[in-house]
């Protein structure tokens, strides 16, 4: 005899069942399911799952999240009854996962206690605070001349192969020991490049405070589309807990291409460069979730470093102009500087940080006040001097200082510097302590100087006379 629960009631029950009309390129068309909602999960009889992405008059289009070889036209589909979520929490630190939270590093699946929706509303204006704390990347040019604050969205833009990902990787490595949790979202990259990044993070000890979300180049387009939202949900969980986070989107060009691919497959009308009309909204709703919260809302921050690719330096293309208008500044990589051996190949004239200066430490801000202008003037003078015109002694002196500064600004990848090192070279240059040193030898001397800072009691808050006395003493020995 069956044991019937006391609260059970006999009656007619209705459930919606759909039918698969077609499958291809990571998209499934389903007839039926009239009450389906956007971003709702649906299941199929073979165990495959999909995410509702397009609602039509007669059919709905869904992104396949998992697919078996048994999925065929005519198969039944039904509601799963929930939205797409990803596991979040500190159990993810040091892990490599896909956009659905499944492990890709060969380790057992994480035991999640908390889940967060991939799509969530950005914090309201009342929850936000002003950007007022610096985030150090370890790069001389960025931390001194294009500063970034916690909660800022700083675009990294330039042609392919100029070092954009290396700068973001340096920023992640530089957060070691700073109580800042990092999320690296890698979209549409080859397995070899992904493995190289993970190995670099492991060797530098940065993987301990980092989560790597991967959607490979050969992954379904739906996975490449969901990857940045998954990484954002993971970082946003820590943001709401009052933690400081840094998220890198590498890169949003491939993300936009995946969204265009999905939209065209779902027969959405194409717009400029064949992108759908809501491509701006796609990236704005993603990046608007990066902010700094007020103390009453937890005081956490999420700093975003989206990476975007240009073609032959064309900044006026559709996706670059969209991202420039959404973010709080950009770091522009120039191919001519790269070819000339200026590494990192950051074009200081085209790069800007609109709000980072508010968060910059007062000592670094004061020491770097004129360096940007001096460097830009040097570039103009150098261009003028190429015509072979006889130069005045004052102009020749400015050229010598500019050449020296250009060498000082050079920096190898995977060698981020602490903030005290930035103040040291800024003061040494601006106060003329490096005068008389050949440009070819200046980085060797500076390297030894910065190594001596490790045992020095000086900090950013130390008085300027103490800094100058220490620098003069050290440089007198090193010269």
């Amino acid at each position: 005899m069956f044991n019937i629960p006391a609260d059970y009631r006999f009656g007619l029950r209705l459930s919606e069942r759909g039918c698969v009309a077609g499958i291809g390129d990571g998209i499934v068309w389903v007839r039926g399911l009239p009450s389906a909602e956007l971003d709702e999960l649906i299941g199929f009889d073979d165990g495959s799952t999909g995410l509702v992405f397009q609602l039509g008059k007669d059919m709905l289009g869904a992104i396949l999240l998992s697919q078996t070889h048994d999925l065929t036209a005519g198969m039944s589909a039904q509601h799963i009854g929930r939205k797409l979520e990803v596991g979040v929490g500190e159990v993810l630190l040091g892990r490599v996962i896909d956009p659905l939270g499944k492990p890709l590093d060969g380790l057992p699946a994480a035991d999640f206690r908390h889940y967060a929706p991939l799509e969530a509303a950005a914090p309201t204006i009342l929850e936000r605070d002003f950007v007022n704390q610096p985030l150090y990347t370890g790069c001389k040019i960025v931390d001194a001349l294009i500063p970034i604050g916690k909660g800022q969205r700083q675009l990294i833009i330039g042609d392919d192969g100029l070092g954009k990902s290396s700068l973001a990787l340096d920023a992640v490595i530089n957060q070691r020991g700073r109580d800042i949790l990092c999320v690296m979202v890698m979209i549409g990259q080859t397995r070899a490049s992904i493995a190289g990044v993970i190995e670099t993070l492991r060797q530098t000890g940065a993987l301990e405070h980092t989560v790597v979300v991967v959607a490979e180049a050969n992954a379904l387009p739906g996975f490449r589309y969901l990857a940045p939202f998954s990484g954002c949900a993971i970082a946003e969980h820590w943001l709401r807990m009052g933690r400081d986070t840094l998220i890198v989107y590498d890169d949003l060009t491939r993300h936009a291409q995946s969204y265009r691919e999905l939209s065209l497959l779902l027969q959405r009308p194409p717009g400029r460069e064949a992108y759908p009309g809501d491509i701006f909204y796609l990236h704005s709703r993603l990046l608007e979730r990066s902010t700094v919260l007020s103390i009453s809302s937890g005081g956490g921050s999420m700093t975003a470093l989206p990476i975007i690719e240009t073609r032959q330096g064309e900044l006026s293309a559709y996706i670059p102009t969209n991202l420039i208008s959404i973010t709080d500044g950009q770091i522009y990589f120039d191919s001519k500087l790269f070819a000339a051996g200026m590494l990192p190949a950051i074009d200081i004239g085209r790069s800007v940080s609109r709000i980072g200066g508010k968060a910059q430490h007062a000592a670094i801000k004061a020491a770097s006040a004129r360096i940007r202008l001096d460097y830009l003037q040097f570039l103009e003078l150098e261009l003028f001097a190429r015509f072979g015109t006889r130069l005045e002694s004052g102009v020749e002196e400015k050229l010598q200082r500019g050449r020296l500064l250009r060498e000082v600004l050079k920096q190898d990848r995977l060698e981020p510097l602490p903030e005290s090192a930035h103040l040291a070279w800024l003061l040494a240059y601006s106060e003329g302590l490096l005068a008389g040193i050949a440009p070819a030898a200046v980085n060797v001397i500076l390297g030894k100087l910065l190594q001596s800072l490790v045992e020095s009691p000086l900090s950013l808050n130390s008085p300027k006379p103490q800094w100058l006395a220490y620098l003069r003493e050290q440089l007198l020995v090193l010269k």
Side-chain angles (χ1 to χ4, degrees), residues 230-247:
S230 177
C232 185
I234 294 169
E236 197 170 41
H237 171 73
W238 290 319
L239 165 73
R240 294 292 184 179
M241 292 177 62
R243 304 292 299 273
D244 292 322
T245 62
L246 169 66
I247 184 166

Side-chain angles (χ1 to χ4, degrees), residues 12 18 89 116 122 145 157 172 307 325 354 383 391 457 468:
L12 181 64
L145 307 179
I157 185 170
V172 171
I307 298 175
S325 61
R354 300 185 183 96
L383 183 64
L391 302 174
L468 293 178

